[in-house]
């Protein structure tokens, strides 16, 4: 065994990770070469692209749009459905030799139960589910499940009933009361919370004099949202006892360190991988050096240290 | 897994020269031996300034040529590449045609220059089009690098008045392919001009994209074999594969 200068391993929400850096959902393509060890240095775990019960074609019209220090996206959860995922992509994901989370789209209650049932049939292969509750509750008022404590609790409880393994719930930052939805997810059986998802924004096409995106609004991500995401991590971590994963605009180890100090037990990175494949290695390298400088034995010991 | 096992990588690179060819057009020469060694015509790279978050995303730029030589130190860039299926790899074993007509619209000329090099300089014809006034420097560059260039311009101020399409034959001989790159409207019109020969029209598409690695799904287009990503499943497609009528307006 090589002795490590500093321990970056973390255990949270039923998973043991060698590194706190998790690739967020919707980022990493199912290209075999990118799931090889040499392309995943520094990566502790990966979230799959969104998996819905049936295939989704995704949104028409403009899908990505650059903004100052960030980007808007309106992809629309394009994916081939859970059966296609299990057959075509699960072997590739397993080949990464890391824990992974299947990012599950919270659709209608019936769909999500059926989706999890199909995942359960191959449960020996799937370490954890990350439940995306930013999607509209089509059985209810059409508002995203995660907007209210009640919707969050309901969605989490359904998934909890169907899935005995680790269940992480990815909150939506659009929820007006982050602490309340965080508590609701915890009380309904979530093992960890991911804080959060993209932030609703929009762009205007000033030549065509209409919104850039067909659905008008789109999700903002990238370094521009980091301070907002840090704040939601702070609020969620202050409200629950289960681990919180910081996600939103992390573009370097300093951002990761800030998230950890605010109470995050691990980090999800997304858009910044679009511009730098090497970011996980850079973040873990930076965090190791930081721990050494601060004479801290482990990252886990610094979780929430910045809370006042 | 449609990437053919050649996912792009990120490299630090230095600008060797930047020659302006118009108000918003330039020829950037970048030192990046790894990409120079492995790129093929039709592939592209994502280029970003070396530091900072703004602009956040890379810019997809076609590779116009590769060469091996000396360099001088300049500004640092991050270059991701080479990306995608080019004019050769997109053929999936289909033999090269006897004759190739290169058809470029404006900066779409760039990958065609590289294609011409890899064809050993043997193109049946080289037909390029620009808007006209304001494109003089770009046109000069075209004339420098493409022997036997047939140049068209919309306003008639450069070369012959007309579009690239007006310079192409009405019927495409059976032993000939058109390799094209240019604005979407031009490529769409090209596909429409040869409705029954779309398999012999190879188009290099442009699309707005975030990642250049097949991850963001920002650049997908409808094709006869389902949704395809311009970045890694293309950017070169047979015109007959693309469902032009269902093309998203972006």
């Amino acid at each position: 065994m090589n002795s490590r200068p500093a321990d970056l391993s973390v255990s949270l929400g039923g998973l043991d990770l060698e590194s706190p850096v998790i690739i967020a959902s919707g980022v990493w393509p199912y290209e075999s070469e990118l799931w090889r060890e040499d392309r995943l240095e520094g990566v502790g775990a990966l979230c799959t692209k969104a998996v819905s019960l049936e295939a989704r074609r995704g949104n028409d019209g403009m899908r990505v749009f650059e903004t100052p220090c960030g980007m808007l996206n309106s992809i629309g959860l394009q994916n081939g459905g859970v059966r296609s995922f299990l057959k075509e992509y699960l072997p590739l994901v397993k080949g990464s030799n890391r824990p992974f989370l299947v990012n599950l789209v919270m659709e209608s209650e019936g769909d999500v139960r059926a989706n999890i049932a199909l995942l359960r049939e191959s449960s020996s292969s799937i370490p954890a589910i990350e439940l995306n509750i930013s999607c509209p509750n089509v059985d209810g008022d059409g508002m995203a499940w995660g907007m209210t404590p009640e919707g969050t609790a309901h969605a989490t409880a359904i998934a909890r009933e169907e899935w005995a393994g680790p269940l992480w719930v990815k909150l939506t930052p659009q929820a007006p009361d982050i602490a309340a939805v965080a508590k609701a997810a915890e009380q309904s059986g979530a093992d960890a919370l991911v804080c959060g998802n993209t932030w609703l924004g929009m762009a205007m096409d000033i030549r065509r004099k209409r919104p850039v995106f067909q659905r008008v609004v789109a999700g903002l991500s990238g370094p521009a949202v980091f301070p907002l995401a840090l704040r939601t991590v702070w609020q969620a971590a202050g409200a629950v006892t289960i681990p919180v994963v910081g996600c939103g605009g992390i573009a370097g180890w300093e951002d990761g360190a800030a998230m950890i100090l605010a109470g995050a037990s691990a980090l999800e990175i997304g858009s910044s991988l679009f511009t730098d494949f090497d970011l996980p290695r850079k973040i873990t390298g930076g965090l190791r050096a930081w721990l050494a400088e601060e004479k801290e034995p482990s990252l886990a010991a610094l979780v929430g240290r910045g809370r006042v | 897994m449609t990437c053919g096992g050649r996912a792009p990588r990120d490299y630090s690179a230095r600008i060797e020269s930047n020659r302006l060819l118009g108000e918003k057009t330039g020829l950037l020469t970048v030192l990046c031996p790894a990409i120079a060694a492995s790129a093929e015509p039709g592939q592209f790279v994502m280029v970003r300034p070396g530091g900072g978050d703004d602009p956040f995303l890379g810019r997809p730029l076609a590779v116009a040529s590769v060469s091996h030589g000396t360099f001088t130190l300049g500004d640092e860039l991050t270059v991701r590449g080479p990306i995608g299926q080019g004019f050769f790899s997109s053929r999936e074993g289909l033999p090269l045609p006897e004759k190739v007509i290169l058809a470029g619209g404006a900066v779409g000329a760039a990958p065609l220059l590289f294609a011409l090099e890899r064809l050993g300089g043997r193109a049946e014809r080289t037909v390029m089009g620009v808007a006209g006034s304001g494109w003089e420097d770009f046109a000069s560059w075209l004339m420098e690098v493409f022997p036997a260039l047939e140049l068209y311009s919309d306003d008639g101020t450069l070369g012959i008045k007309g579009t690239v399409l007006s310079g192409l034959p009405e019927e495409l001989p059976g032993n000939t392919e058109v390799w094209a790159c240019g604005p979407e409207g031009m490529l769409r019109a090209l596909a429409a001009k040869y409705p029954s020969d779309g398999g012999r029209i190879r188009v290099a598409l442009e699309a707005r994209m975030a990642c250049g690695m097949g991850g963001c799904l920002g650049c997908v287009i409808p094709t006869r074999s389902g949704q395809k990503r311009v970045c890694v499943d293309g950017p070169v497609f047979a015109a007959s594969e693309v469902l032009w009528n269902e093309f998203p307006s972006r």
Side-chain angles (χ1 to χ4, degrees):
Chain A
M1 291 283 284
N2 292 335
S3 64
R4 292 201 194 114
D7 182 12
L8 293 187
S9 66
V10 288
S11 293
L12 72 156
L15 297 182
D16 298 321
L17 314 184
E18 287 186 16
S19 145
V21 179
I22 302 167
I23 294 182
S25 179
V27 175
W28 211 241
Y30 297 121
E31 305 285 343
S32 52
E33 190 183 328
L34 291 178
W35 291 78
R36 286 193 334 224
E37 189 62 38
D38 66 321
R39 302 301 295 264
L40 292 172
E41 200 182 335
V43 175
L46 296 106
C47 299
T48 68
K49 291 177 83 73
V51 176
S52 51
L53 178 62
E54 304 297 342
R56 284 186 180 217
R57 201 174 173 280
N59 294 335
D60 290 326
M62 185 80 82
R63 286 184 161 195
V64 292
F65 189 84
E66 189 176 34
T67 62
C69 298
M71 59 176 282
L72 289 158
N73 88 77
S74 178
I75 307 298
L77 303 175
Q78 180 187 330
N79 79 102
V82 62
R83 294 169 190 86
S84 153
F85 167 75
L86 290 170
K87 188 168 159 227
E88 293 175 43
Y89 302 130
L90 184 58
L92 182 64
V93 174
K94 286 183 70 180
S96 72
N97 293 320
R98 283 163 172 73
F100 62 91
L101 298 102
V102 174
N103 182 280
L104 199 85
V105 184
M106 184 67 210
E107 305 171 280
S108 70
E109 180 170 341
D111 282 0
V112 86
R113 286 189 191 277
N115 195 345
I116 297 179
L118 287 165
L119 292 177
R120 211 168 46 217
E121 284 166 22
S122 47
S123 64
S124 62
S125 314
I126 295 171
I129 284 178
E130 179 185 63
L131 188 68
N132 172 9
I133 59 170
S134 295
C135 324
N137 174 3
V138 290
D139 301 332
D141 52 13
M143 196 164 60
W145 286 93
M147 286 298 284
T148 61
E150 297 74 27
T152 301
H154 189 190
T156 307
I158 293 166
R160 184 74 286 170
E161 279 173 38
E162 300 289 336
W163 183 253
L167 173 65
W168 295 14
V169 175
K170 188 171 183 177
L171 303 178
T172 169
Q174 272 64 249
D177 188 341
I178 295 291
V181 292
K183 267 186 213 161
E186 178 181 42
Q187 285 162 4
S188 299
D191 296 306
L193 303 177
V194 180
C195 246
N197 209 315
T198 56
W199 297 71
L200 273 194
M202 71 172 287
M204 188 62 81
D205 184 331
I206 58 171
R207 300 284 169 211
R208 294 197 239 183
K209 300 183 183 65
R210 63 180 196 209
V212 164
F213 293 100
Q214 264 188 15
R215 297 167 66 92
V216 181
V217 295
L220 181 65
S221 62
V225 308
F226 176 75
L228 301 167
L230 183 64
R231 183 264 296 168
T232 63
V233 164
W234 179 276
Q235 289 174 326
V240 299
T241 56
I242 53 175
V244 171
V245 178
C247 175
I250 297 172
W253 73 266
E254 298 94 333
D255 299 335
M259 286 283 195
I260 299 288
L261 293 172
S265 299
L267 315 166
E268 285 195 10
I269 55 172
S271 303
S272 286
L273 280 169
F274 289 163
T275 65
D276 186 0
F277 278 131
D278 206 25
L279 187 60
R281 189 189 61 80
K282 289 176 182 165
I283 292 178
T284 51
L287 290 176
R288 275 203 189 92
W290 179 54
L291 291 184
E293 274 175 36
E294 300 290 333
K295 299 188 170 48
E296 294 285 349
S298 76
L299 195 68
L302 281 167
V303 172
R305 185 79 71 82
R307 298 193 66 84
V308 291
Chain B
M1 285 195 280
T2 44
C3 197
R6 278 207 307 165
R9 287 178 183 274
D10 294 337
Y11 301 96
S12 285
R14 284 188 187 281
I15 298 175
E16 188 175 349
S17 70
N18 187 6
R19 177 177 161 191
L20 290 179
L21 299 175
E23 203 178 321
K24 291 182 176 174
T25 311
L27 180 69
L28 194 63
T29 306
V30 172
L31 181 88
C32 189
I35 290 178
S38 58
E40 67 143 313
Q43 287 189 308
F44 66 101
V45 294
M46 295 288 272
V47 176
R48 292 183 78 227
D53 292 329
D54 210 5
F56 181 53
L57 300 174
R59 295 290 181 274
L61 298 182
V63 178
S65 179
V66 299
S67 60
H68 306 276
T70 57
F71 69 98
T72 51
L73 293 185
D75 286 348
E76 192 161 293
L77 297 174
T78 302
V79 182
R80 170 170 294 182
I83 306 172
Q85 310 300 311
F87 284 107
F88 294 86
S89 56
S90 67
R91 308 183 68 78
E92 295 175 333
L94 194 71
L96 283 173
E98 261 178 64
K99 296 178 178 176
V100 175
I101 297 174
L102 301 175
V107 295
L112 300 176
L113 175 60
F114 194 9
L116 181 63
E117 287 176 10
R118 286 293 163 90
L119 288 168
R122 288 187 299 277
E124 180 67 9
R125 294 176 58 198
T126 305
V127 187
M128 301 282 167
V130 294
S133 177
W135 286 80
E136 292 79 7
D137 291 347
F138 185 75
S140 300
W141 175 72
L142 289 180
M143 287 185 270
E144 267 173 47
V145 297
F146 287 103
L149 174 74
E150 299 169 55
L151 181 66
Y152 288 79
S153 64
D154 297 338
D155 67 4
T157 58
L158 295 163
I160 306 161
K161 184 172 167 61
T163 66
V164 174
L165 264 73
S166 60
L168 296 176
E170 290 310 309
E171 299 278 332
L172 199 59
N175 60 353
T176 304
E177 286 189 6
V178 177
W179 291 8
C181 185
E184 186 190 314
M186 170 197 146
L187 301 179
R188 179 191 295 275
L190 186 62
K193 185 178 173 84
Y194 303 110
S196 51
D197 296 319
R200 289 187 287 125
I201 311 293
R202 317 288 303 184
V203 294
L205 296 178
E206 250 191 345
R208 204 180 270 261
M209 59 184 68
C211 72
M213 64 175 184
C216 75
L217 304 183
C219 63
V220 298
I221 56 158
T223 74
R224 292 194 189 282
S225 31
Q227 289 173 296
K228 297 281 183 189
R229 298 160 295 182
V230 168
C231 68
V232 294
D233 301 324
V236 177
F237 295 92
S240 54
E241 264 294 290
V242 178
L243 297 174
W244 297 97
N245 291 334
E246 296 171 28
F247 223 72
S249 75
R250 285 177 184 146

